[in-house]
Amino acid sequence: MTKWAGRTAIEIAEAVRRKEVTPREVVADHLARIAEVNDRVGAFRVVRAAAALAEADAVGSRTDLGQLPLAGVPVAIKDNLPVRGECTRNGSAATPTAPATADHVTVARLRAAGAVVVGLTHVPELCVFGTTDGVHGIARNPWDPTRTAGGSSGGSAAAVAAALVPIALGNDGMGSLRIPAAHCGLVGLKPGTGRIPVELGGGWFGMSEHGPLATTTADARLMFSVLADEPVGAYGPDGPSGGSPGRLDLAFSTRSPIAGIRVGAAHAALARRAARTLSGAGHHVATAHPPYPLSFGTTVLARWTGGTAQDAEGLDPRLLAPRTRRHVQVGRLAGRLGMLRTDHRAALNERLEPFFEKYDVLLTPALARPGPAADAWHERGWVANMLVNTACSPMTPPWNLSGRPALAVPFGSLPSGLPGSVQLVGRPGSEHQLLDVAAQLEELQPWRRTAPLEAAGQHP
């Protein structure tokens, strides 16, 4: 492992602020790691080598370097967010090739905090599916490159898990942060509605949120605070730190929100062990199932496909993959049938409110099945993609529809040796509380932060 690649964002920023290392040296070290490893994991569509070094020099010359929470920290950006000077392809051959003239607000906030954008990461076309593959490449799980990194923030997750960057920016409309975080053994936070500006098309009818991918809860908290424009200085000079969450009432559930889908035994067992761990830490943990409506699967499918139909407006359908075209067709049909007119969020939250009045946090498995093969799923039919996506990740969509914060946190390992993961869900505004609970799990059951993927020519 090289000197700075593999360090946490907090460690890097502290060293840069103390002038123990320059931003250029940090970025150059990560670019070398990317050059050696990226071909095997397919994290990046674009690596901004020259531009990133120039940006690093600019950060190093800033007069406020000593106050920057992400001073010199390399960051990867999901390729559906505008980065000034780069084209935003959104995983498609149909999207415009003109470079963006301005940064997305989240990118601007990261840069203002001292982060350096080293590249744009692979996504599935229009960020629709739970596997990251398409005309621009395939993102693979660094823990097992034969398997998908998940989606749609799969390239961002692969970049962090392979130690190509310490943190990455993604977004989550049906689990698109938490699913790849769970596959790749990372912390992935989907904030609640309104915590971070969306400013991205229709946002899948309010279901999509931007958030961090990181290897530690502390890095995730720091990045979230920057993205949410919180006063990071209030959390300490070396990045935000949490406190004890106190004794909480936790609900534990392995029941799938989508009728007919079951959680596999291995994933349920890991979540059950996490519940015992938190109970041993002093929390009151009870088995209790949220009152998911029987119609939930149909409701969320309508919004998922309807949001994609909005995103595809103005694009040449001949340049879309078959699975995407069918997804768009289903979404337009849902719109014609009036399935997008009802305020499903309000109805779902009305059902959930008594549950979350009783319980502070819900603990569930993050996934229901291992990730499928890293393959050209974009060349397969829509039904095949829907079946594999739904079977793998039914646990994440309710919290997009309801707008509540949800967090994937590494926990244990699966029989295959891949990282295990659980999901924490909270009340509106409880992002830091969820991170506090995750930090307890991290302390009690530490995880290996990055995959044991050696650079070319290096051996353990």
Side-chain angles (χ1 to χ4, degrees), residues 126-150:
L126 304 189
C127 295
V128 172
F129 297 101
T131 59
T132 294
D133 56 273
V135 295
H136 299 297
I138 297 175
R140 301 173 180 273
N141 188 338
W143 294 87
D144 179 357
T146 69
R147 291 187 179 272
T148 181

Side-chain angles (χ1 to χ4, degrees), residues 390-443:
T390 306
C392 182
S393 52
M395 309 303 290
T396 53
W399 319 115
N400 298 92
L401 182 58
S402 69
R404 294 171 182 268
L407 173 73
V409 57
F411 188 85
S413 60
L414 297 167
S416 64
L418 288 172
S421 182
V422 296
Q423 177 178 233
L424 302 172
V425 183
R427 298 164 177 160
S430 67
E431 288 87 356
H432 286 288
Q433 183 181 66
L434 296 180
L435 287 163
D436 288 342
V437 177
Q440 281 190 318
L441 289 173
E442 184 177 10
E443 180 180 2

Side-chain angles (χ1 to χ4, degrees), residues 162-456:
L164 308 186
V165 288
I167 54 175
L169 178 61
N171 35 57
D172 190 316
M174 285 276 289
S176 289
L177 268 165
R178 290 161 289 153
I179 293 167
H183 284 314
C184 296
L186 303 175
V187 180
L189 173 63
K190 182 202 78 68
T193 300
R195 296 290 274 136
I196 295 172
V198 177
E199 297 183 11
L200 184 65
W204 286 7
F205 299 94
M207 294 202 304
S208 182
E209 305 291 342
H210 306 301
L213 286 157
T215 64
T216 67
T217 53
D219 272 7
R221 192 191 302 269
L222 172 59
M223 187 173 177
F224 168 70
S225 294
V226 169
L227 294 172
D229 200 25
E230 293 181 341
V232 175
Y235 299 101
D238 300 327
S241 58
S244 169
R247 182 182 183 276
L248 301 176
D249 289 310
L250 273 67
F252 166 69
S253 176
T254 60
R255 180 176 294 173
S256 169
I258 300 177
I261 304 296
R262 294 182 63 85
V263 174
H267 291 78
L270 277 180
R272 196 169 290 111
R273 184 155 64 89
R276 291 196 297 268
T277 300
L278 290 172
S279 177
H283 300 292
H284 177 260
V285 181
T287 299
H289 308 298
Y292 305 119
L294 287 175
S295 61
F296 175 75
T298 303
T299 297
V300 78
L301 175 64
R303 288 180 170 250
W304 181 19
T305 57
T308 305
Q310 285 187 339
D311 292 345
E313 290 179 5
L315 301 182
D316 186 345
R318 296 170 298 180
L319 297 178
L320 297 175
R323 65 176 181 176
T324 311
R325 285 201 301 270
R326 179 57 58 86
H327 209 74
V328 169
Q329 291 165 356
V330 172
R332 288 173 179 162
L333 176 61
R336 289 195 297 270
L337 294 176
M339 298 174 68
L340 301 171
R341 298 174 189 165
T342 304
D343 189 351
H344 294 107
R345 169 167 290 179
L348 178 59
N349 278 322
E350 186 175 352
R351 290 179 64 96
L352 292 172
E353 194 61 37
F355 182 87
F356 281 99
E357 285 178 356
K358 185 174 182 179
Y359 299 104
D360 300 299
V361 173
L362 169 66
L363 167 67
T364 77
L367 300 170
R369 294 284 187 279
D375 206 348
W377 287 94
H378 62 287
E379 297 177 356
R380 303 188 190 183
W382 182 75
V383 172
N385 275 272
M386 295 299 291
L387 289 175
V388 74
N389 280 213
T390 306
C392 182
S393 52
M395 309 303 290
T396 53
W399 319 115
N400 298 92
L401 182 58
S402 69
R404 294 171 182 268
L407 173 73
V409 57
F411 188 85
S413 60
L414 297 167
S416 64
L418 288 172
S421 182
V422 296
Q423 177 178 233
L424 302 172
V425 183
R427 298 164 177 160
S430 67
E431 288 87 356
H432 286 288
Q433 183 181 66
L434 296 180
L435 287 163
D436 288 342
V437 177
Q440 281 190 318
L441 289 173
E442 184 177 10
E443 180 180 2
L444 295 168
Q445 296 285 333
W447 56 79
R448 183 165 183 169
R449 293 194 305 104
T450 57
L453 183 72
E454 293 301 315

Side-chain angles (χ1 to χ4, degrees), residues 55 59 62 64-65 67-72 84 103-117 226 229:
E55 288 180 20
V59 170
R62 285 177 59 168
D64 60 347
L65 181 67
Q67 288 75 49
L68 298 178
L70 293 175
R84 184 180 64 253
D103 288 333
H104 186 270
V105 61
T106 53
V107 179
R109 287 179 177 181
L110 291 171
R111 280 177 157 161
V116 177
V117 177
V226 169
D229 200 25

